[in-house]
Amino acid sequence: MVANAFLLAVTFLHVFLCPYTKVEESFNLQAVHDLLFHGTYLAEYDHKSFPGVVPRTFVGSAAIAAICAAPCRASVALGFSRLACLYIARLTLAVLVVAALFYLGKAVQAELGRPVGTAFILITALQFHLPFYASRTLPNTFALACASVAHAEWLAGRRTHRTILLLAFSVIVLRCDLLPWAGLVGLHMVASRQISLVRGLLIGIAAAAASLALTVSVDSVFWGRWLWPEGEVLWFNTAENRSSEWGVMPLHWYWTSALPRALLGALPLAALGVLLERRLRPHLACVALYIALYSFLPHKEVRFLLPVLPLFNVAAAAAAWRLWINRRKSIVWRFGCWCAVALLAATLAATVLMTAVSLQNYPGGYALAKLHRLESSEALAAQQTGRNLTVHIDVSAAMTGVSRFGEQGVPWVYSKAEGLSQEELKEQNFEYLISSEQSVGGYTVIGMQEGYMGLRLHRDPRAILERLNKYWQSPVEVLLEPKLYMHKHL
C-alpha cells in the first residue's frame, strides 16, 4: 500500500508542478474541455478550427470528461477558473493509469512474489517518464492504461480473452501502431497454449469489430463525416509514410536513446532480470521483437513506447529482488546489490533533473496566465463597459501550454490564427499579443516569459560546494532564455 500511495503521490506531483500541456496532447485536452463546456454544441469545438494533420478519436476524452464532469461543475459553481478543471481532468487520467499499473503490480505479485510486485511499483515511481506521462492526454497514455491491464492478464496466463479484448480495443480505437504488439502477444499465447488459435482469432475479430463500431459511431458524429480515426492514422503513417515529415531517426534510436532515457537505471536491471528470471524471458523477447519491428518506421518518439515500458520495470524489479535476497551469499551478489542501489539512486537524481527541465518547457501556458494577471484591472474595466479585450496567440505559444482551459472568458477574446504577418496583426487591431517576437510595430512589451534553453554543468569544485551549501542546488544548472513576450497595443 505504501508503494502504491508513493506512485500515486509522485504522479499527482507532476500534475501540480507542470499543469500545462504541449501540442502533442492538445487534441484530447481540448476535446475534454469542449465536452465539459460546450456539450452538444459541436460548432464551438476546437477541432472544427484546428483539425490537425489526422483525425483522432474522442472516445478517451469522452471517458475522462464523463468521470470529471461533476467535480468540474462544482468547481465552476464555487467560482474557480477553468484552469481548475484542467487539474481535475489530468488527475482523473492519472488515477486511471496508476490504477492500471497497480493492477499489473498485483499480477506481478501473484506470479513472481509480493516483493517483486512492490519493487515494480517503486521503480516506476522513481522514474520520470511513466509518472510524468500518466496524466498527459496523449493517445499513448490512454493505450498505456489499457495495455497495462492486458499485460497483467497476459503475465498471469489466465483470462486470456481479456488480454485480447483490451489489446484489440487499444489498436482499433486508441493507437493503431500497437497492431504488431497485439499480434506478438497473441502468437505467444497460442504458442504457450494459453489459448487455441481458432478461439483467439474469433475473440480478436469480435473485439475488433465491436471496437470499430464504437469508434466509428462516436467519432463520425464529432467529425461530421464517416470515419475510423486510427484507420486514417494507419494509412498516413504506413501507406503514405508521411510520419517522416516530423523527423527521421536512425534504426537504433529506440535502443540507444529512447529506452535509456525512459528507463534510466532500470534498463540494465531489466537486462539482468531477463537472465535471472526465466519466466519473463518470453514476454521480454516479445517486447524486444516489437521494438525491433517498430524501429523500421522512420519517425520515432519515446512516448510511442509507453504501453510496453512497464514490462521492462517488471524485469528490473525481479532482478533487484533477486540481488537483494542473495546479497549474503557471495561478494559478487553483494556487489550486484550495491550496483542496483546505485542505479536506482541515479534514476532518482536524473528524474529530479528532468522534472526541473520540464518545469521550464511550457512558457505558453505561463505567459497566458501572466497576461491575465498583468491586465486584471483592465479586464475588469472592459467587462464593466462591455468592451472586449482581444488576444492573438502565436504558434509557439499555442504549442507550449496554451489551451482553452487557460482562457478566462468575457471580456477576453482569443485568436490562434496562424501565419499572420506583423502587418496583418496591425490590421486586425488586437489589443494584446503573445508572441515569440520581441518587437512588433504598434505594440509595447508589458511582460516576458522565459523557457528552457539548456543545461550547464559546474565543474569547479568550489562552485559546486557553493551551490550546495548556499542554495542547496544541483551542480547541473537549468539555463533559461526569453521565449515569449506579452505585447499591448499602443
Side-chain angles (χ1 to χ4, degrees):
M1 287 297 294
V2 174
N4 291 351
F6 179 51
L7 176 57
L8 186 62
V10 169
T11 306
F12 278 19
L13 182 62
H14 280 295
V15 175
F16 290 106
L17 289 177
C18 302
Y20 300 110
T21 56
K22 280 195 173 181
V23 63
E24 298 89 350
E25 309 155 56
S26 62
F27 170 77
N28 283 299
L29 189 74
Q30 306 285 37
V32 171
H33 170 277
D34 295 340
L35 285 160
L36 288 172
F37 291 98
H38 298 308
T40 58
Y41 190 41
L42 300 183
E44 290 295 319
Y45 276 47
D46 186 79
H47 74 286
K48 295 293 185 179
S49 301
F50 302 97
V53 179
V54 289
R56 290 292 184 183
T57 182
F58 276 82
V59 172
S61 303
I64 298 300
I67 295 170
C68 66
C72 282
R73 288 197 191 98
S75 172
V76 173
L78 291 171
F80 291 98
S81 69
R82 293 186 184 186
L83 192 60
C85 295
L86 170 62
Y87 285 94
I88 294 170
R90 287 193 55 199
L91 291 172
T92 299
L93 178 57
V95 169
L96 294 177
V97 172
V98 171
L101 292 173
F102 290 170
Y103 190 79
L104 177 56
K106 194 172 180 181
V108 173
Q109 287 185 12
E111 296 304 310
L112 304 177
R114 185 185 183 93
V116 179
T118 301
F120 161 70
I121 296 296
L122 288 174
I123 288 172
T124 302
L126 291 176
Q127 292 171 335
F128 173 77
H129 278 81
L130 280 170
F132 181 80
Y133 280 104
S135 64
R136 299 199 163 269
T137 51
L138 293 160
N140 317 82
T141 303
F142 291 108
L144 167 63
C146 288
S148 294
V149 178
H151 295 158
E153 305 295 359
W154 181 36
L155 285 173
R158 301 184 298 272
R159 294 177 294 201
T160 51
H161 64 284
R162 290 191 184 180
T163 303
I164 298 171
L165 289 170
L166 288 164
L167 289 180
F169 177 83
S170 299
V171 170
I172 299 298
V173 179
L174 301 174
R175 286 297 302 181
C176 61
D177 51 17
L178 284 175
L179 180 60
W181 176 242
L184 289 168
V185 173
L187 287 173
H188 172 264
M189 290 193 297
V190 171
S192 59
R193 298 185 178 180
Q194 294 179 24
I195 194 170
S196 68
L197 177 61
V198 173
R199 177 174 168 77
L201 286 174
L202 289 175
I203 295 173
I205 292 170
S211 300
L212 184 62
L214 173 66
T215 184
V216 170
S217 60
V218 170
D219 294 309
S220 296
V221 172
F222 285 102
W223 287 98
R225 61 183 176 90
W226 287 103
L227 85 164
W228 169 29
E230 285 305 300
E232 295 195 15
V233 173
L234 183 65
W235 183 265
F236 181 89
N237 288 337
T238 55
E240 296 182 351
N241 195 26
R242 290 183 57 193
S243 65
S244 58
E245 296 173 10
W246 278 261
V248 175
M249 289 76 172
L251 195 66
H252 57 79
W253 187 84
Y254 280 129
W255 301 103
T256 59
S257 180
L259 286 175
R261 283 186 289 130
L263 297 171
L264 301 171
L267 182 57
L269 284 175
L272 181 61
V274 173
L275 296 176
L276 296 177
E277 182 51 80
R278 61 179 179 80
R279 287 173 290 182
L280 293 177
R281 291 172 192 169
H283 304 86
L284 270 296
C286 289
V287 175
L289 183 55
Y290 168 67
I291 296 174
L293 292 171
Y294 204 29
S295 295
F296 285 99
L297 288 178
H299 180 62
K300 302 175 179 66
E301 293 190 37
V302 175
R303 59 189 172 92
F304 294 165
L305 299 184
L306 276 181
V308 299
L309 289 183
L311 293 172
F312 285 99
N313 287 347
V314 172
W321 176 241
R322 190 69 67 87
L323 291 169
W324 176 256
I325 60 174
N326 291 314
R327 68 190 186 282
R328 292 189 177 91
K329 287 186 177 180
S330 70
I331 191 171
V332 174
W333 285 103
R334 192 175 303 116
F335 176 74
C337 184
W338 282 110
C339 286
V341 172
L343 285 169
L344 295 179
T347 296
L348 177 59
T351 295
V352 171
L353 180 60
M354 289 180 177
T355 302
V357 170
S358 296
L359 288 172
Q360 311 300 333
N361 262 338
Y362 303 89
Y366 291 108
L368 183 59
K370 183 180 289 187
L371 175 64
H372 291 147
R373 289 196 304 272
L374 290 172
E375 296 299 298
S376 58
S377 58
E378 184 74 17
L380 181 59
Q383 189 171 8
Q384 292 172 346
T385 59
R387 181 169 60 92
N388 288 332
L389 296 180
T390 54
V391 185
H392 181 263
I393 299 163
D394 77 355
V395 173
S396 56
M399 292 178 66
T400 57
V402 171
S403 75
R404 289 191 168 188
F405 281 106
E407 298 177 0
Q408 290 195 351
V410 177
W412 296 98
V413 177
Y414 306 88
S415 166
K416 291 188 291 183
E418 299 177 7
L420 297 182
S421 65
Q422 291 199 9
E423 289 300 320
E424 289 171 322
L425 289 172
K426 289 180 188 178
E427 291 173 3
Q428 299 208 23
N429 205 31
F430 293 106
E431 290 281 343
Y432 300 96
L433 309 176
I434 299 179
S435 172
S436 57
E437 298 290 336
Q438 185 174 1
S439 177
V440 179
Y443 290 84
T444 182
V445 174
I446 59 172
M448 179 269 294
Q449 182 62 46
E450 293 182 322
Y452 175 71
M453 181 180 71
L455 297 173
R456 178 168 62 194
L457 175 63
H458 292 269
R459 298 181 181 178
D460 185 350
R462 290 174 297 181
I464 293 174
L465 287 174
E466 182 180 350
R467 287 178 63 82
L468 289 174
N469 294 330
K470 187 176 180 181
Y471 305 106
W472 194 243
Q473 293 178 341
S474 165
V476 181
E477 182 180 0
V478 179
L479 301 178
L480 305 178
E481 65 179 354
K483 291 289 186 181
L484 296 170
Y485 299 89
M486 286 131 273
H487 303 266
K488 185 173 184 178
H489 198 281
L490 291 173

